[in-house]
Amino acid sequence: QVQLVESGGGLVQAGGSLRLSCAGSGSIFTFNSMGWYRQAPGSQRELVAAITSGGSPNYADSVKGRFTISRGDAKNTVYLQMNTLKPEDTGVYYCKAQRSVMNYWGKGTLVTVSS
C-alpha cells in the first residue's frame, strides 16, 4: 500500500522560511511526478509546485522565485523549500504522487504564516 508522509509544517512569521518533506513508501516503482498542493480555509486545493522524475519543475505563479521543489536522493522523496513566506501562503500542504493513472495523496501538513 502506497503511503505519503509529509513533515516540516509549522508556524512562521512573514518573511521566514520553511522546508517541507514528503516520503513515499510501499511502491517498488519511482513515481512519474511528485508535487505539493495547498488548501487554505474556505478555498479549493491548488497546485503549488510539481516535479517530474526527470527533474523538471513546475510552479504556481504565486510562488515563483520564492519556493523551490526538489526530489531527494532516496526514491520517492520530494522537498519544498519555501522562502519569503507570506500570510497568503497559509494552508494545509499536501504531497501528491502520480504513477500511470494512479494518484496518491498524503494527509497534509499545516503551514501558518503570521503577519
Side-chain angles (χ1 to χ4, degrees):
Q1 183 178 358
V2 173
Q3 287 188 319
L4 301 174
V5 179
E6 304 99 334
S7 62
L11 173 64
V12 64
Q13 288 188 331
S17 298
L18 284 174
R19 186 179 190 235
L20 304 184
S21 301
C22 173
S25 61
S27 174
I28 63 172
F29 302 106
T30 299
F31 295 124
N32 298 118
S33 69
M34 297 187 75
W36 292 93
Y37 287 68
R38 69 185 177 196
Q39 188 166 18
S43 299
Q44 291 187 331
R45 194 173 297 187
E46 61 178 1
L47 171 69
V48 175
I51 188 167
T52 67
S53 58
S56 297
N58 180 43
Y59 297 96
D61 288 342
S62 60
V63 306
K64 284 180 180 177
R66 300 188 297 122
F67 291 10
T68 302
I69 189 169
S70 60
R71 294 191 73 145
D73 292 334
K75 188 178 71 173
N76 293 335
T77 59
V78 67
Y79 304 100
L80 185 68
Q81 178 66 43
M82 305 186 294
N83 298 328
T84 319
L85 283 160
K86 304 176 180 180
E88 52 263 44
D89 294 319
T90 293
V92 178
Y93 283 68
Y94 297 91
C95 179
K96 177 188 173 183
Q98 177 264 329
R99 177 168 174 83
S100 185
V101 297
M102 297 298 295
N103 291 309
Y104 306 93
W105 292 91
K107 293 183 178 181
T109 185
L110 178 63
V111 172
T112 304
V113 184
S114 64
S115 57

